[in-house]
Amino acid sequence: MNGITKYVYDFSEGDASMKTLLGGKGANLAQMWKIGLPVPPGFIITTEACHKYWEEKDFIVNIWADIVSAIARVEKLAEKQFGGTKNPLLVSVRSGASVSMPGMMDTILNLGLNDETVQALAEAAGDERFAYDSYRRFIQMFSNVVMEVSMNKFEEKLNELKKKNSVSEDHKLSAASLKELIVEYKKILEKEGLEFPTDPWKQLKLAIDAVFRSWNTARATTYRKINNISNSHGTAVSVVSMVFGNLGSDCGTGVCFSRSPSTGENKLYGEYLINAQGEDVVSGMRTPIPIAELEKEMPKVYDEFSRIATLLEQYYKDAQDIEFTVEKGKLYILQTRNAKRTAAAAVKIAIDMYKEKLIDEKTAVSRIKPEQVEQLLHPQIDPNARYNKLAKGLPASPGAAVGIVVFDANEAAECGNKGEQVILVRPETTPDDIHGLFASQGVLTSHGGMTSHAAVVARGLGKPCVSGCEEVKIDLKNEIFIANGITVKKGDYLTLNGNTGEVALGQIPLVKPQFDENFRTLLDMADKFSKLQVWANADTPEDAKRARDFRARGIGLCRTEHMFMAAERIPVMEAMVVANTTEERVIHLRKLEKMQEDDFLGIFEAMQDFPVTVRLLDPPLHEFLPKLYELEEKLKEAVPDSSEAKKIEATIARANELHEQNPMLGFRGCRLGIVYPEIYEMQIRALFNAACVLTKRKGKVILNIMIPLVATQEEMKRLREMVDTIGGDIIKQAKCELEYFVGTMIELPRAAMVANQLAEFAQFFSFGTNDLTQTTFGFSRDDAEGKFLAQYIQKGLLSQNPFAVLDRDGVGALMEIAVSGGRSVNSQMQLGICGEHGGNPSSIAFCHHLGLDYVSCSPFRVPVARISAAHAALGLLK
Amino acid sequence: MNGITKYVYDFSEGDASMKTLLGGKGANLAQMWKIGLPVPPGFIITTEACHKYWEEKDFIVNIWADIVSAIARVEKLAEKQFGGTKNPLLVSVRSGASVSMPGMMDTILNLGLNDETVQALAEAAGDERFAYDSYRRFIQMFSNVVMEVSMNKFEEKLNELKKKNSVSEDHKLSAASLKELIVEYKKILEKEGLEFPTDPWKQLKLAIDAVFRSWNTARATTYRKINNISNSHGTAVSVVSMVFGNLGSDCGTGVCFSRSPSTGENKLYGEYLINAQGEDVVSGMRTPIPIAELEKEMPKVYDEFSRIATLLEQYYKDAQDIEFTVEKGKLYILQTRNAKRTAAAAVKIAIDMYKEKLIDEKTAVSRIKPEQVEQLLHPQIDPNARYNKLAKGLPASPGAAVGIVVFDANEAAECGNKGEQVILVRPETTPDDIHGLFASQGVLTSHGGMTSHAAVVARGLGKPCVSGCEEVKIDLKNEIFIANGITVKKGDYLTLNGNTGEVALGQIPLVKPQFDENFRTLLDMADKFSKLQVWANADTPEDAKRARDFRARGIGLCRTEHMFMAAERIPVMEAMVVANTTEERVIHLRKLEKMQEDDFLGIFEAMQDFPVTVRLLDPPLHEFLPKLYELEEKLKEAVPDSSEAKKIEATIARANELHEQNPMLGFRGCRLGIVYPEIYEMQIRALFNAACVLTKRKGKVILNIMIPLVATQEEMKRLREMVDTIGGDIIKQAKCELEYFVGTMIELPRAAMVANQLAEFAQFFSFGTNDLTQTTFGFSRDDAEGKFLAQYIQKGLLSQNPFAVLDRDGVGALMEIAVSGGRSVNSQMQLGICGEHGGNPSSIAFCHHLGLDYVSCSPFRVPVARISAAHAALGLLK
């Protein structure tokens, strides 16, 4: 024994706080022992012993005396004897690291059996078959784990024996057959030049050695690498007296949750089997009985279990997942841990426990992970449903959808509007397909990435989308697609899982979203801790209402260009773009002005008392013209030299003139407002007129006007002046009071670098991290995802897609410069983010640490963002 | 008089050091007086008086007594009397600020004339016509400058009189007619309610007032704003006794340079007229006589003038531009200033003066502005040639060219190779036009900016280019273009001025470049002061040789992709790009490998002992495929289903697959090396094999391998490993010693932000400021220049094109981050720039301040860069 360090702890010597030293499992067992629960006696060899073991292989020798005396104390408590021929003590030897690594390391049960003790066990249990079955399992397990003999060799012998005895199931083998099998098993070892150790002490020593060894197996080290767990932790070893639930009708075994892990209902939820071992519950040979029945069959045990479940909840402050065994009428608790649960259950348990005063608001909020919130907002594939995936693409928009396959947006719109459930399947989608997307349950594209048109629109609509599913080869002409050899026709049913990117054939059952009162309560609780406000990106009054339903505190991005996309407006917009002179452009803009004013009025009405951030026109003008090949087709059909033909020719000429090599870096954003001031002037008038109309109706408008794609101070200065001049005049004429602010997107690296200069004229900044990520990385999101980004992630060049999770080192560092630049000029400057990252938990945590005022995201992600903001503030999300 | 401050200085009281107080002109006059030169007597009213004047309008009253006594001292020295009826003193009243503002403020000559003194002048001069002509000019000038009466009214009367007298020229009017005219002039003033002041003292006071007033005229303040001159300087006023060169044949006037301003030859260079006023020299009525003649006509005067010119040069240490007048045999120096000169003259004068020990090396170097160097490297339009411009585009590549118009690259190549001088005129050029560009004298494009294909290639070839000349409407079919109404046909002569962007019809005379021994000497002197080395961008052995001729100290950028563009290589490259599998790609790459090795060997040979920085493949692969429409045309011509048709179809499919929305932000640079490692592996092998071959031949290679478009540390790490592994093997096998470095371009904002991370694996950084400017601003250079950048500059949103002059606030700030990031990891890290900015003086100055080690630019710009680097180090270029 090492004189100073203690390496072996009886359960009575530990508690839950000693996880690092005793491992999670060991510390929990000690804790249960401490609060007087009926845990079978045992002891723990510490993680420090594991470290020592890896320093000097013979280390176990040094602590062997401690182990021997620990066994002696267990013998006393269990009233059994290790290696005894009367009432033999059998033990389990299990690994248990401080961080859970389920299934990664080894376990040995029934240790202590040999040719003699097995007979004693048979006697004690009054069941010879049970005893010899336990023995042959032990030999099998020990040989495999400790002596590294392949499991197959034993399975082979077992199968031969079953064949010989003409039985198909293990438990139908007689005790005699099993004795025969044990002889065969020993022969296997002999052939390998090994000998099965009959001495229980030798068994124990080898088993402990094997558990320590298992800390550094390839699969364990890989698991730790993937899960970012330090290699230095080491595993502890628990040695626990075996108890048996299969020694008669006063025995049993089961697993029980203190509350429903599915719904969260506050009621024991679990199942058990009389006269059975844990294995029997798992194997499915016998159907387990619901825990409620135990009340009738073993009322005392049930009562004690109920009491214990409550005790454990009170101690751990959380719903528990408890393993128990009843041996000859006595209840033993073998393990307890915090219960895994569905998102819905998590919400209900958190709120209930808060009401029960078991936990405070902070703890309640911490119990729902941002990722889980997703499950509550969108239909999900039933967790119990089994299905084979047909193909896998990118998980572009969350939730699940079932519908019939349709290859055309018009047809999707038609069917959808008739009430049919359709899945739109396209190589990729364009703005022309919007009506089809709108009417579909979900969308599948074979090309495009997480930020492709289909993905962005689907997220905006809250519909599931699987994008970039290259395995799906679409044949539009024949209206079929082929995926991994299977042909899918128009009208076939398809199920999409937007959370995983999986596509399956047929109608997989779904579960509905559960945005209930408890969840609302929890979100409101969350808001109390958040430093960041959550705003929404909304382009229409409907979006704005949805945003308010989810309690968004403002609109962080209202894209005005979508307003021009409506069928009746497109021709006017087109004429404006084609116009040759300012005068001509102004004529068309006048027509658009009234429409814009109405749009804004609707949004302002929906968002009364909350800020609305409107971005002036951003996309390049050629986006408002038909595609060149369409125009050329049209021209072929037109009568030569007719006025129509001339009009088309003019449009073609203009489209050619506006064509760009790299439209992302082209003539768009505020560059339009500088070169064609009449466009922005129109939008500014429409905004102020709408705001004044509502103000006069006693409504309240907080108007943020946002200038896109600013790169220089001079742009910001001139456009600020434009807003102030036009807005000031309108306010004066309307004689109304109106609060308005003029700010800019920070979406170009230069804007970040000169943020201090911009802050002299910009009253707020909103980080447009989609574009900022594109320019910072030099990644066009239209191209990168399909061309090389997937490979980059797969090959480990990037740990995540920077369009989904904000890149802190590059984009984030630029944001920091912008924040300090802006705040150096105006310490009160309002700062937010309106890129897609505004709905991503990790990115929200970063925004919190940056000290932004708000994140703005798609309305459907507002709840995720609210929880994320709270978790960031609580330090739960880094 | 103000008791403390002195506002009026006699010439004898000042010197050249008092520019701020006395103005440039005044201080120079005082200085010449001081060194005993024959300057007509006079005095100066200080710039401080001007400030006082603007504080209190009546300020002149306070210093009037000082002025009166100063006049008295002038009277004494001149032996004339102000307002005197015998030998009247006339004076000039001139403005003179401390910073030269030529022509911006007012001057009055012959002040002191009235109805009485004019008679005295006539007598003294013995020439009544001269006296009355002076008088009427004085009235005219005074009325206009002091009393602000329009000059037209006087001109009208003058013209009426000439008509009446049937003469066509002013000097043919008789004294009598002039007297008549003076009466008419006075009537003009009467009509305006004004009276011409006959009192010379009143004239003087009003004139001084007018000069002070002229400091703040609209044109003067605008001039100061444009030239960044502070408004607070104020102007001084010089009052100088008039001398007359037209009082007889012992009189004369002239302008003379102390050395030739055209060639720099150390010989008086100028002209004069006997019995004439300054005006006569300028007006062109009489042909001036070369200064050498003065030696015969007035040998004493000539000797004195020679002596004075030398004296002035010795005092000012620079060539002088001297105005003189001889009045009755006495030489007066009226003004001296540093002579303006051609670049060639500047070089010769600097070197000569250095040899004469008049100036030191530093001063010699400082005498040639970087902008002037241009003139020495390319043919220029003869400065004496007069021409009408036909159109104006962007000055895309410097120099001038004359040739016949050709609209087709093949034809240009044909004619050019036959020895004809051609100008290639195209809407824009593509890589297919290279042979045409090569054979042309210059290129004119109607589209594209300063960094369009034509511009970049032309600068690389050192040929003039005018790009983006939108006024030129090209009709390729009819082989004509129309510019501002004028039609130009194929075969017509055209002249391009690549320095100004001007295009002119016909053959304008050119002057040849003058890269002579003096200039080489001066550049070598410059290098002694520079901190920055100057390297060159060179893709071929020819470029490399040229770079060495210009004494580039290394190659900062060798673009390997240009090596694949040769006619025999394009099909191999195309096959490689179209290949479906790695194996197939490797087969084609093997063929390219040998070719690359030879290319590299050639460059290494040319650059022995100097570093060669080779950039691995950068452009997107689709650039190596024919254009889609070309492929489609080809497909139409191919026999359906033939193997040729299938090959074309495969190429079309691949081209479609590789098509990108924003190629600038797409699948290029090191992304190619990551996804298709076999491409970079081939290039690395070729590099090391070539380097080892040369090393074994006892040559020396310093190899820098540069990875393009790096955004992340992991890219740099993996590609560094690739180079080290392959390179290490080759070096080992070849058993040679080879110095090599692996580095990266910093051309993405993210690379700058994570430069410290990159520096762990990159041994050098080279700033690719072309791309960095694109991504930092979000400006696609292909699009921005034609679409909005010109307007931005014109409207003042940008003071300069950021692709020409490095943007310090944005791009520069990112560079600073990268420099400190890189140096924080490796303080000795080599840093350079290889973007186009490497040849721009202001950008070079910035690089100097950043502490870079070198700038790399087109070989033709190496001399500009060498002077710029020296000027930056000497603090002459900020």
Side-chain angles (χ1 to χ4, degrees), chain B residues 10-16 18 22 25-35 39 44:
Chain B
D10 287 354
F11 287 168
S12 60
E13 295 173 308
D15 64 38
M18 297 164 77
L22 307 182
K25 195 179 289 159
N28 267 350
L29 285 167
Q31 180 65 41
M32 289 195 286
W33 186 277
K34 193 171 183 182
I35 59 178
V39 173
I44 307 143

Side-chain angles (χ1 to χ4, degrees), chain A residues 85-372:
Chain A
T85 48
K86 203 67 204 281
N87 192 12
L89 173 68
L90 305 185
V91 296
S92 63
V93 178
R94 293 171 194 256
S95 64
S98 61
V99 179
S100 169
M101 293 169 59
M104 282 305 119
M105 289 172 304
D106 292 323
T107 284
I108 293 160
L109 301 178
N110 293 327
L111 187 138
L113 283 175
N114 57 25
D115 291 350
E116 282 148 22
T117 54
V118 69
Q119 286 180 27
L121 179 64
E123 258 168 56
D127 184 344
E128 198 178 18
R129 208 210 67 82
F130 152 70
Y132 280 92
D133 192 42
S134 298
Y135 188 27
R136 75 95 189 159
R137 282 174 199 256
F138 169 57
I139 296 172
Q140 204 170 327
M141 197 181 259
F142 189 91
S143 302
N144 179 249
V145 170
V146 177
M147 304 197 286
E148 294 173 348
V149 178
S150 160
M151 198 61 112
N152 286 339
K153 296 187 173 165
F154 299 97
E155 291 293 333
E156 228 168 67
K157 288 291 167 197
L158 178 63
N159 289 333
E160 276 172 25
L161 190 70
K162 285 197 282 186
K163 221 169 179 179
K164 196 173 131 195
N165 286 278
S166 306
V167 300
S168 61
E169 287 156 350
D170 295 5
H171 70 277
K172 293 200 173 141
L173 286 171
S174 67
S177 301
L178 290 166
K179 285 180 193 167
E180 220 176 287
L181 187 61
I182 287 163
V183 175
E184 291 297 326
Y185 275 9
K186 289 186 178 166
K187 278 186 192 159
I188 293 172
L189 294 176
E190 263 169 55
K191 265 195 192 157
E192 302 270 330
L194 300 165
E195 200 188 339
F196 178 73
T198 51
D199 177 4
W201 294 102
K202 197 167 180 193
Q203 290 173 359
L204 182 61
K205 194 165 166 187
L206 291 169
I208 293 168
D209 188 272
V211 172
F212 281 155
R213 204 168 60 218
S214 72
W215 173 252
N216 276 336
T217 58
R219 63 175 178 165
T221 46
T222 306
Y223 180 92
R224 288 199 295 274
K225 201 171 169 185
I226 291 169
N227 290 281
N228 216 359
I229 299 169
S230 162
N231 278 322
S232 72
H233 288 317
T235 183
V237 183
S238 310
V239 179
V240 189
S241 166
M242 292 290 299
V243 290
F244 296 97
N246 54 351
L247 296 182
S249 63
D250 57 349
C251 302
T253 191
V255 175
C256 184
F257 292 86
S258 60
R259 308 192 186 211
S260 164
S262 169
T263 65
E265 198 188 355
N266 187 1
K267 202 171 115 176
L268 291 181
Y269 181 100
E271 42 196 26
Y272 72 101
L273 279 174
I274 292 293
N275 197 11
Q277 273 189 300
E279 247 172 294
D280 301 318
V281 181
V282 177
S283 72
M285 297 315 265
R286 289 164 61 192
T287 305
I289 304 158
I291 196 77
E293 296 296 312
L294 190 67
E295 193 167 4
K296 290 171 214 156
E297 293 205 52
M298 297 181 173
K300 272 197 179 159
V301 168
Y302 181 84
D303 283 353
E304 195 186 354
F305 184 83
S306 294
R307 191 185 59 79
I308 287 170
T310 306
L311 208 64
L312 285 170
E313 270 200 354
Q314 267 160 1
Y315 180 75
Y316 287 107
K317 315 285 189 202
D318 202 357
Q320 294 299 297
D321 169 356
I322 307 161
E323 286 177 28
F324 66 94
T325 284
V326 182
E327 187 185 84
K328 297 192 183 281
K330 178 161 171 47
L331 173 68
Y332 290 97
I333 304 296
L334 302 183
Q335 189 169 317
T336 190
R337 54 188 171 191
N338 292 341
K340 293 223 179 328
R341 67 205 76 175
T342 64
V347 169
K348 181 163 167 50
I349 291 170
I351 294 296
D352 284 351
M353 286 192 163
Y354 169 71
K355 285 182 185 159
E356 293 159 22
K357 302 209 160 84
L358 210 58
I359 57 176
D360 59 9
E361 288 188 324
K362 200 169 177 171
T363 310
V365 169
S366 73
R367 288 283 162 80
I368 284 76
K369 296 234 157 55
E371 299 74 37
Q372 288 183 301

